[in-house]
Amino acid sequence: MIMVVWSVVALVAVNLALAGGVVFLRVRNDFRARRWHRIEGRWYPALLDLLAGDTTCAVLLKHVETREVEPVLEICGRLARRVSGDDRKIVREFARPLLSGLSPALVSRQPERRANAIQLLTSLGADDEFHTEIAEALADPSPLVAMVAARVVASRKRIDLAADVLGQLDRFEMWSEAFLASMLASMGSQIAPELRASFSNAESSSTTRSVTARALAELRDVPASDIAATIIAADGGQDRTLTIAALRVIEVVGQSKHLEVVRPLLGHADSAVRARAASVVGKIGVVADSPSLVAAVGDMDPWVAIHAATALYQLGQLDKLRELSRSPGTGSEAALEALARGAS
Amino acid sequence: MIVLDIINVVALVYFAALNLTYLGLTLASFPRTNRYIARLKSLHVEELLSAAGSLPISLLVPAFDEEATIAEATRSLLTLRYPEYEIIVVNDGSNDATVDVLTEAFDMAPAHRLPTSAITTAGVRQILRSRVHPHLWLVDKDNGGKADALNAGLNHSRYPLFAALDADTLLESDALIRIARPFLEDQRTVAAGAMIRIANGCRIKGGEVEEVALPHRLIPEFQIVEYLRAFFVGRTGWDAIGGTLIISGAFGVFRRSIVAAAGGFSTDTVGEDMELVVRLHRYCRENDIPYRISFVPDPVAWTEAPETLRSLGLQRSRWQRGLAQTLTRHISMMGNPRYGTPGVLAYPYHFFLELFGPLIEALGYLSFGITLALGLASPRFVVAFVFLSVFLGSALSVAAVALEEMSFRRYRKGRDLAVMLGLALIETLGYRHLNTYWRLKGMWAFLRGDNDWGTMDRRGFGEENGAATPAAPVVGETSR
């Protein structure tokens, strides 16, 4: 009996000690939060004074204690993301002498810490600085660090590092294509030649080519439409991903001369290709394409029907749509939807 | 005597297996959560998603007799921060004025929308679209239950992702931004679950949780600790080893095309949320589709927890029925290496320890009591039983509170932390036994073939601590 009592007492004590550990965690967290608020409360207004011209970088820098360097850089990084133009330049000028404090974080064993450091470093550096550091981060074994570096390159429009990013695209194959394409497109039309080269390179993976095609479509890059048509003609719609990507380009910047490679795809075995082809015909097609679109409105796949009905509306074939809306089958609802959408 | 010995041994083995599994999940959760928090710091989620390229989401909101709350709930959804989304409220044959309320509040007018998948549902009466918020749709259909309503919404959704919500779920304004991240980072992601938190006790204004606090009632307070354990330890731990079998019906995001291809939500179970996730595992593996099912702890949906023993009992009984229905339906996954971690680890865990747990526990408690009463229990047995059935469980609940403290720290008041720790320490003395009883009832109802959702008394989300709206039976209740 005594053994039982003592054991239970011991177990209660262990659980209480665990609960005490949580209380300690709370105390520690509160202490850290207070410290952070203290530093932020001191430095944020000081930086605002700096932006207002009430003080100078040299004066403020004298007050940065060694143990405060990283938090101060964090505050600068946040502020730099919120402001622009001259204000951002001032924040960067202030932070510049402190950036060497990030060196340990850049080579930290924790990828999250390295990623944060590269982000801070670049958000507080000048637009053309840290080429080596960013290139190294792009080649970092951690995909997280590489992605953060790629985002930095894109957001800062570092064309000098565009080729490095494109070279790493295959490492980001798990990422959403739409996201990667937008990231590349955010660099602006200066990256278009690199993208075109990648899109037309048969040696590149179809994921890379698809991403670059989407980026070119976002950039509304007219020369890419010829590349897209050539790819479709050469591939014959075999590679589904690549075909859809190429169609996406033609949809945005294609011309009627590209119709000859698009029209056959209305009869493609893959419904996603058929739907995209119908969309393209709606954008660059002519009235003579109406019969094939009317047929596509009756497609078993609702997406094809919706895209084809929309295409008919875009070609101004309202009578055909009205006729379809009175017919039985799914085409009727697709036609009604296209008419209603157009009316609104 | 031999019978008692056997039951005692089985109960000890059960408690050991259950708690050691949870201990393993806890150990997996700590570094996982730590890294996740660090990762959030380096990724600037909002910056990521403010860029074009985020995947549009359809929000599916099944509603049944929700006239009192539906307008406010919809207004709250209209304020979410996300680049592109549509809201599809599905009126599941309400007997009240749900449709009229929505029509009047949002100027809904008849519209056409071709279904993009053909999952069989109860008849759709009409489709309406808001003239003031063109991304708000109403699918008005005959009654068919929550899963049927979700299927109707799925049929009429157009975006690559959809979120399944309960009509009374409050999403934090950045919840969609955060839950979409796994889909951006990994194209294989077919489903993602979020953190469900309990809103009882919180100050809520305009459909948003303004101040997080514990309620002053024991029943929801216990559930808060339970939810922390279920999400921080259970979901995070299973996610770490790729064994997620449950995404809460209160808020989860799915890839539309895969769910439609897998047949949508099952209408003949009360656990359609879990059933879908288990089926997605099967569907993807049987069709060699690379996939990932994730749990992410930073997107938050707030839900109202039952405040009475009756409501809580009904909810837990229903969850147990849903578990039983799902696991018996997919019994071929049991221990089957074809289904990877879900089949080899997660399924057997849920089958032996969660499904049969209440029965073994109940017999174990009974047998332990009889053994003690007859003076047959050795001190070593008593200590082992108490350690495994009471103290280890409490320690794991304390660990869940620790995970909350080291990550999101939503409960900032010292009093709240003290209460949560206190409840974690005493949860295994009484509250757990009540749960065992309710889950046993759920098993019995399953064996009887009962498929009724039942009704739950709700207080609703008022301005403070939930007190404004009348009790209403709902199609979709809270999370599992």
Side-chain angles (χ1 to χ4, degrees):
Chain A
M1 187 61 191
I2 291 171
M3 177 200 162
V4 171
V5 171
W6 276 111
S7 300
V8 169
V9 168
L11 292 171
V12 170
V14 168
N15 272 4
L16 284 174
L18 283 173
V22 180
V23 172
F24 171 77
L25 200 60
R26 164 63 62 100
V27 171
R28 192 201 68 169
N29 283 342
D30 283 348
F31 173 77
R32 285 183 174 177
R34 273 198 302 274
R35 179 172 173 258
W36 169 257
H37 287 309
R38 208 170 42 240
I39 295 172
E40 195 180 33
R42 196 152 65 88
W43 281 100
Y44 201 77
L47 288 167
L48 292 181
D49 285 346
L50 180 67
L51 295 183
D54 294 342
T55 184
T56 64
C57 292
V59 171
L60 279 189
L61 281 166
K62 280 182 200 160
H63 297 286
V64 183
E65 294 170 32
T66 313
R67 63 195 173 91
E68 283 181 348
V69 169
E70 276 201 48
V72 168
L73 285 173
E74 282 281 352
I75 295 165
C76 290
R78 289 182 191 182
L79 188 59
R81 279 196 295 276
R82 283 186 211 143
V83 297
S84 57
D86 287 343
D87 285 348
R88 189 178 284 173
K89 272 187 197 160
I90 295 170
V91 177
R92 286 175 177 172
E93 191 187 332
F94 166 76
R96 176 178 299 277
L98 304 174
L99 289 178
S100 57
L102 289 174
S103 302
L106 279 171
V107 292
S108 162
R109 285 171 60 187
Q110 294 172 285
E112 292 81 8
R113 201 153 173 244
R114 293 199 301 277
N116 194 39
I118 194 74
Q119 196 158 52
L120 262 183
L121 189 73
T122 50
S123 65
L124 294 172
D127 283 342
D128 55 353
E129 274 186 309
F130 305 118
H131 184 105
T132 312
E133 287 83 353
I134 299 171
E136 279 174 6
L138 278 168
D140 193 285
S142 158
L144 170 70
V145 181
M147 175 46 83
V148 167
R151 287 275 305 149
V152 163
V153 171
S155 63
R156 304 294 289 277
K157 305 194 192 315
R158 294 288 297 265
I159 300 298
D160 57 319
L161 285 158
D164 297 70
V165 173
L166 287 173
Q168 297 290 335
L169 269 189
D170 277 343
R171 285 185 67 198
F172 306 140
E173 65 175 350
M174 290 303 173
W175 280 73
S176 146
E177 278 189 18
F179 175 80
L180 293 174
S182 293
M183 183 182 82
L184 293 173
S186 69
M187 296 178 77
S189 55
Q190 276 181 295
I191 196 184
E194 304 263 13
L195 293 175
R196 269 182 243 134
S198 174
F199 180 35
S200 57
N201 182 1
E203 301 293 311
S204 301
S205 69
S206 79
T207 306
T208 297
R209 295 176 84 186
S210 175
V211 168
T212 50
R214 288 179 86 133
L216 286 163
E218 276 193 42
L219 289 170
R220 310 188 76 82
D221 183 65
V222 176
S225 60
D226 287 339
I227 301 172
T230 309
I231 286 172
I232 292 173
D235 183 67
Q238 299 287 308
D239 185 331
R240 175 186 188 269
T241 308
L242 192 58
T243 304
I244 292 173
L247 284 171
R248 206 184 290 272
V249 173
I250 297 177
E251 184 179 353
V252 177
V253 287
Q255 300 145 48
S256 51
K257 67 176 180 183
H258 299 128
L259 275 170
E260 62 184 278
V261 295
V262 176
R263 283 180 183 132
L265 297 178
L266 283 170
H268 196 276
D270 190 304
S271 61
V273 175
R274 292 200 302 278
R276 185 58 65 179
S279 267
V280 177
V281 174
K283 291 278 168 59
I284 63 171
V286 291
V287 176
D289 289 309
S290 304
S292 47
L293 288 175
V294 168
V297 173
D299 197 292
M300 292 295 287
D301 187 285
W303 290 104
V304 180
I306 292 164
H307 283 277
T310 308
L312 278 173
Y313 186 88
Q314 287 167 329
L315 293 180
Q317 299 300 296
L318 303 189
D319 288 341
K320 289 235 163 36
L321 280 173
R322 286 191 195 103
E323 204 176 304
L324 281 167
S325 72
R326 288 190 290 272
S327 67
T330 54
S332 152
E333 192 63 20
L336 281 168
E337 186 184 324
L339 285 167
R341 197 174 331 120
S344 65
Chain B
M1 188 51 211
I2 293 171
V3 174
L4 282 181
D5 281 348
I6 292 172
I7 295 174
N8 285 336
V9 169
V10 170
L12 278 181
V13 169
Y14 160 77
F15 279 119
L18 180 73
N19 287 315
L20 289 176
T21 306
Y22 245 69
L23 184 62
L25 294 173
T26 306
L27 294 175
S29 296
F30 270 97
R32 179 87 169 176
T33 305
N34 237 338
R35 292 194 71 168
Y36 190 84
I37 297 296
R39 197 180 163 87
L40 282 183
K41 197 177 167 193
S42 66
L43 267 180
H44 300 292
V45 177
E46 299 201 17
E47 193 184 308
L48 268 181
L49 282 141
S50 63
S54 52
L55 298 168
I57 301 181
S58 303
L59 305 184
L60 310 185
V61 188
F64 175 73
D65 286 357
E66 300 269 6
E67 64 178 7
T69 55
I70 194 68
E72 199 52 42
T74 306
R75 246 176 234 120
S76 166
L77 293 176
L78 285 165
T79 63
L80 293 175
R81 289 160 53 212
Y82 195 73
E84 192 177 357
Y85 69 100
E86 62 178 6
I87 302 165
I88 302 178
V89 180
V90 185
N91 176 51
D92 191 39
S94 295
N95 300 309
D96 65 2
T98 299
V99 172
D100 297 336
V101 166
L102 281 170
T103 304
E104 192 174 331
F106 302 104
D107 192 13
M108 311 290 293
H112 295 282
R113 192 170 236 213
L114 180 66
T116 49
S117 50
I119 302 164
T120 307
T121 68
V124 173
R125 301 166 184 162
Q126 57 176 340
I127 309 282
L128 297 128
R129 185 182 195 180
S130 167
R131 280 191 279 238
V132 281
H133 302 286
H135 61 304
L136 172 61
W137 296 78
L138 172 61
V139 175
D140 182 20
K141 64 180 277 289
D142 297 332
N143 182 261
K146 182 186 177 187
D148 193 68
L150 286 169
N151 284 336
L154 179 59
N155 280 342
H156 289 86
S157 65
R158 285 286 167 86
Y159 289 150
L161 304 181
F162 76 86
L165 303 175
D166 283 348
D168 57 343
T169 297
L170 292 182
L171 292 187
E172 292 199 342
S173 63
D174 60 359
L176 288 182
I177 291 177
R178 291 177 180 279
I179 202 169
R181 197 176 54 78
F183 293 91
L184 277 190
E185 291 183 357
D186 192 338
Q187 293 200 76
R188 298 170 305 171
T189 304
V190 297
M195 176 70 95
I196 310 297
R197 289 179 181 271
I198 290 177
N200 307 46
C202 299
R203 195 171 70 223
I204 296 162
K205 197 171 180 185
E208 279 191 40
V209 173
E210 276 199 334
E211 187 188 333
V212 178
L214 285 187
H216 291 273
R217 298 176 71 139
L218 206 55
I219 295 170
E221 279 178 338
F222 267 124
Q223 291 172 77
I224 286 172
V225 175
E226 256 188 318
Y227 272 48
L228 288 181
R229 193 182 58 235
F231 284 87
F232 272 121
V233 177
R235 305 285 165 88
T236 307
W238 283 116
D239 180 56
I241 57 172
T244 298
L245 287 195
I246 301 173
I247 286 178
S248 166
F251 180 39
V253 172
F254 301 84
R255 198 172 287 278
R256 207 197 72 86
S257 54
I258 289 280
V259 174
F265 290 87
S266 171
T267 53
D268 55 358
T269 167
V270 292
E272 80 295 328
D273 44 6
M274 179 183 187
E275 201 281 334
L276 176 65
V277 176
V278 175
R279 189 147 38 85
L280 285 177
H281 279 295
R282 281 191 72 173
Y283 179 81
C284 292
R285 287 182 184 266
E286 287 169 3
N287 292 285
D288 292 326
I289 299 169
Y291 77 106
R292 180 166 164 66
I293 294 175
S294 297
F295 167 73
V296 272
D298 52 323
V300 174
W302 295 88
T303 189
E304 184 191 354
E307 293 211 339
T308 63
L309 286 176
R310 180 189 157 277
S311 291
L312 183 60
L314 285 173
Q315 184 195 57
R316 297 308 158 94
S317 166
R318 197 187 68 242
W319 287 1
Q320 189 68 15
R321 256 187 301 149
L323 178 77
Q325 288 167 339
T326 300
L327 293 179
T328 49
R329 183 172 302 179
H330 297 284
I331 191 78
S332 61
M333 285 178 74
M334 168 76 90
N336 190 337
R338 181 183 185 187
Y339 299 104
T341 305
V344 175
L345 288 179
Y347 189 99
Y349 163 82
H350 283 88
F351 190 85
F352 291 115
L353 302 178
E354 294 287 351
L355 184 59
F356 287 102
L359 183 64
I360 301 170
E361 271 188 39
L363 288 174
Y365 293 135
L366 193 67
S367 166
F368 179 70
I370 294 171
T371 312
L372 271 186
L374 296 177
L376 300 171
S378 71
R380 193 175 294 173
F381 166 69
V382 174
V383 170
F385 193 93
V386 171
F387 169 69
L388 290 171
S389 68
V390 178
F391 287 95
L392 197 48
S394 296
L396 293 169
S397 293
V398 171
V401 179
L403 278 162
E404 163 76 348
E405 185 55 34
M406 64 176 252
S407 55
F408 299 102
R409 304 186 73 214
R410 291 298 184 108
Y411 297 92
R412 293 297 177 102
K413 293 178 190 161
R415 179 231 167 227
D416 287 352
L417 181 72
V419 169
M420 285 194 296
L421 286 173
L423 293 173
L425 290 171
I426 63 165
E427 190 195 359
T428 46
L429 301 169
Y431 181 73
R432 181 186 179 95
H433 306 96
L434 274 174
N435 258 308
T436 303
Y437 168 67
W438 291 322
R439 289 167 66 196
L440 267 178
K441 281 178 73 175
M443 284 293 283
W444 178 241
F446 164 71
L447 292 172
R448 282 200 336 255
D450 183 0
N451 205 33
D452 186 25
W453 269 77
T455 57
M456 183 178 131
D457 297 331
R458 286 188 181 281
R459 303 177 72 201
F461 296 124
E463 291 295 296
E464 246 176 80
N465 301 337
T469 52
V474 290
V475 177
E477 291 191 6
T478 57
S479 58
R480 169 172 287 102

